[in-house]
Amino acid sequence: MRFSKVTYTFFFVFLMTLFLGGQEKNDSICPTIGLVLSGGGAKGYAHIGALKVLEKNNIYPDRVGGTSMGAIIGGLYASGYTAEELDSIVYNIDLGEAILSPRKRKMIPFFDKKYAEKYILQLPFDNFKIKMPHAISKGQGTNKVLTTLTRHVHSVNDFEQLSTPFYCIATDLETGDQVILDKGFLAHDILASGAFPTLVAPQEIGGRLLVDGGVVNNFPVKEMRDKGADLVIGVDVQDDNVSREEMKSITKILEQIATLKSQENLEFQKKHTDIFINANVEGYGVTDFDAKKDLIERGVTATENKLDTILKLIPEHCRKPNTFRTIKHDIHKQDSLVVTSIELIGAEHYTSDYLLGKIDIDVPQEIPYNEIVNSIDRLYATGNFSQIDFLVRDDLYGKRIVYQLEEEKSRMYLKFGLHYDNVYKTGFLTNLTVKNIFWKNSFLSTDVILGDKLRFNVNYLIDNGAKPSFGVNYSYRDVEFNGIFDEAKLFDLEYEFRVHNFQAFIQSTLFDRYAFGLGLEYDNIKIKNNSLVVDSDITNLGRNNYFGPYLYTKIDNRDQPNFAKKGVLASAKYKWIVASNDETTSETNSYFKVNSEFNFPINKNFTFKLNGGLGLTLSDEDLPYGQQFYLGGFNEQSLVNYQKFYGYDFMEIRTNNYILLGGNLQYNLFKNHYINGFMNVLSSGKEIKDLSRYDDHFGLGVQYGYNSPLGPLIFNYAFTTETETSTFNIGLGFWF
């Protein structure tokens, strides 16, 4: 069949119309933009710089994916935060500290402040077998930060429903398989993706034990293609392999091991990018969290260098403000919630009274959000939980806070300490702690101190939170000192002081900073002279027993136990001795004593410390030797009625009554190094009326201290004008 020229012309015009119309339609279609952010620890701060440049040019990805730090930045971005908000977040949150997740001292249980701040090493000891920890950090600090920052999407379980659809990569530690996380609880998933081996403990999700996704895929671009992205922008913050000279730390070695695999994968993944941005973070490591400003700027610079290419591939009509990012997340805002109920999940060995006492939130009421965060810190500070999650759920008339608690798997621990001073000499401390023995919320702690003198300390406590707690304590001390016990005060002899002390008490605490209690106390005390062979009144002062009730109150809200810069340490005790076999006293005795230390920060480096002490005999007769007040030395150990007093030897001063006042100016020379200048004055007397002036004893001196990981290292020089003598003392390690 033959066609006319008119027919051919019509057919040609028809085809061109279809082609041009289709071309116009295709030009109007915007590509699905995928943004992939690689892992790299602190170097991932550069991703924020890249997001800043993209947002500035109205380029908003339709999908976000990432690994490790790329997952954390990408997950927060996908939840609705803008680049500027992410910039503000990293400047206001110390991620380095969050990873280490140290317990906040002000929230540590009061009992731990007295008995648990003396160990340099703690190891699980279940079934009498020592176990090594899985990592430096359990991840609780990071988990708390991420859970708080993602609270507005706690109800979102499918990451396709976030402001920007999101996925991240983790590694199954048992199989070595790659795991794509695109459903679940966002904070958990991005933490698992960033659980760097040995730094952060593996995270269990869906029955799988997951670690950092960078082990198998540190730059998941192919996965973005598989999810339908037409155009992929990849931002890489990985380094090339380094030389042996640069591998100077365990972190660098682990980073190098991870890099060996990721470099091979990087070349494969780069082929699937349309725009590859190398942030050029050479010279920075995975733990350089303090370099956030420079790293963010490097991300800005690297992305601006690629901006022409980006703008060519993304048509102008596709570059529009993201209308989904209308919610601003002011991290400085102290928002509040109307909480109507609290739900506790996962606590098998702890009662609700104990848990609610630590949470310390009364419902129903409107609660600042930071109070919920503080309640997490209080629970974690107990040391009884490896991970604590909280979810905000809608309730009938407000919000329900769900606490998901994961108990520490270990119930038995071995702990160790080491100390040297001029009095007790070298001491090696071994502790066995068993939790939840005989009763819920309980623990048994047994100290055995080996050295020149054997010492013991055994504590058992049932901690009932806001309700009264019950405890018993037994301790044994054996120490030598020089003392004068003859009436003529002619013989300054060496004595040995052996003390068995047993206490049973009821105690209530307030905010874990204040304690009030009452109990029964029994002392068995032997004072024996080691200088003379012959037996006399001043040779063997007998083994005597003392029994009676006591009342006490204690305060400890210091910022740190050694070289405190602010806070108060104080105690007051009244004891009534109702039974004794001591022949030196014919009636019951009682006494009252107070010790206090007030720390006032003057500025960043200077702290003024005001110290005070008071000891009063409230009966007509003298206190027996075993219950009198002993002062002198700089030791911190607890021993009956001992009080440190600079300028004099250990327990050199013995009295029935005293008033002590001291001042100390502390200077923080540089990190963990301190210089102290101090003075103290003392008035002592046989009777209270003798305490009329502060001219009995006077001492002053200087001290250098270093707050080391093994405890405080102290070099102390003191001088007294009374006898014009001086003392030099050394203390190495935590006091016990």
Side-chain angles (χ1 to χ4, degrees), residues 107-342:
M107 296 178 179
I108 291 176
F110 194 91
F111 200 80
D112 283 6
K113 291 176 182 178
K114 179 174 177 61
Y115 292 105
E117 294 182 322
K118 56 191 175 186
Y119 307 110
I120 59 177
L121 179 64
Q122 173 178 305
L123 297 172
F125 193 55
D126 293 313
N127 300 318
F128 299 97
K129 293 181 180 179
I130 294 179
K131 298 180 180 180
M132 301 303 293
H134 293 143
I136 295 173
S137 169
K138 297 171 185 175
Q140 171 60 28
T142 311
N143 179 62
K144 182 192 71 174
V145 169
L146 296 176
T147 302
T148 301
L149 290 173
T150 59
R151 59 186 183 268
H152 55 289
V153 293
H154 279 190
S155 60
V156 178
N157 296 316
D158 184 351
F159 299 165
E160 289 288 322
Q161 305 304 315
L162 294 172
S163 294
T164 304
F166 170 77
Y167 70 90
C168 62
I169 304 296
T171 304
D172 188 316
L173 188 58
E174 293 181 285
T175 66
D177 294 337
Q178 169 178 294
V179 180
I180 299 177
L181 299 171
D182 54 11
K183 291 181 175 62
F185 190 62
L186 180 62
H188 284 183
D189 287 4
I190 58 182
L191 173 60
S193 181
F196 192 80
T198 72
L199 183 60
V200 178
Q203 305 294 306
E204 186 174 346
I205 296 179
R208 286 177 147 179
L209 205 58
L210 304 181
V211 296
D212 198 305
V215 175
V216 290
N217 187 355
N218 207 35
F219 195 39
V221 180
K222 174 68 165 55
E223 291 70 19
M224 181 62 77
R225 287 290 188 195
D226 294 341
K227 286 185 173 289
D230 301 314
L231 187 149
V232 178
I233 303 172
V235 184
D236 177 42
V237 295
Q238 301 174 81
D239 272 337
D240 294 332
N241 297 332
V242 299
S243 65
R244 67 175 68 183
E245 289 78 13
E246 296 175 272
M247 289 185 283
K248 297 179 180 179
S249 67
I250 187 172
T251 304
K252 283 291 185 183
I253 294 172
L254 291 171
E255 189 176 353
Q256 177 83 338
I257 293 171
T259 301
L260 295 174
K261 174 69 176 177
S262 62
Q263 284 296 323
E264 177 183 340
N265 182 63
L266 175 62
E267 297 306 316
F268 168 77
Q269 297 286 4
K270 280 174 65 175
K271 297 175 183 178
H272 294 278
T273 62
D274 296 288
I275 302 164
F276 177 74
I277 301 173
N278 186 335
N280 187 22
V281 290
E282 184 179 355
Y284 293 96
V286 295
T287 58
D288 287 334
F289 293 100
D290 291 335
K292 53 179 72 74
K293 181 178 180 180
D294 291 340
L295 288 166
I296 291 173
E297 191 56 40
R298 291 205 177 198
V300 170
T301 301
T303 308
E304 286 178 339
N305 291 339
K306 291 284 187 174
L307 192 56
D308 288 344
T309 304
I310 295 172
L311 296 179
K312 287 179 182 178
L313 293 175
I314 302 175
E316 186 175 356
H317 66 271
C318 296
R319 304 195 296 268
K320 297 178 181 179
N322 191 329
T323 56
F324 294 101
R325 294 180 181 273
T326 57
I327 300 175
K328 296 297 180 181
H329 309 278
D330 185 357
I331 64 171
H332 302 291
K333 181 181 178 182
Q334 297 295 317
D335 51 340
S336 60
L337 300 172
V338 176
V339 179
T340 55
S341 63
I342 291 175

Side-chain angles (χ1 to χ4, degrees), residues 49-66:
L51 287 167
K52 281 185 171 184
V53 175
L54 294 178
E55 284 191 353
K56 184 179 179 180
N57 289 274
N58 288 327
I59 298 171
Y60 293 88
D62 300 295
R63 290 185 172 275
V64 176

Side-chain angles (χ1 to χ4, degrees), residues 548-603:
Y550 68 100
L551 303 171
Y552 68 91
T553 181
K554 299 177 183 179
I555 302 172
D556 188 352
N557 61 5
R558 296 170 297 168
D559 59 336
Q560 54 190 33
N562 305 299
F563 312 107
K565 294 185 176 182
K566 60 181 179 180
V568 177
L569 174 66
S571 65
K573 177 181 179 181
Y574 168 77
K575 181 178 180 180
W576 182 25
I577 303 171
V578 297
S580 171
N581 68 340
D582 193 332
E583 296 179 356
T584 63
T585 180
S586 60
E587 61 177 38
T588 59
N589 299 92
S590 63
Y591 65 80
F592 176 72
K593 67 175 182 178
V594 177
N595 296 315
S596 62
E597 172 193 304
F598 297 85
N599 298 280
F600 303 98
I602 299 173
N603 56 33

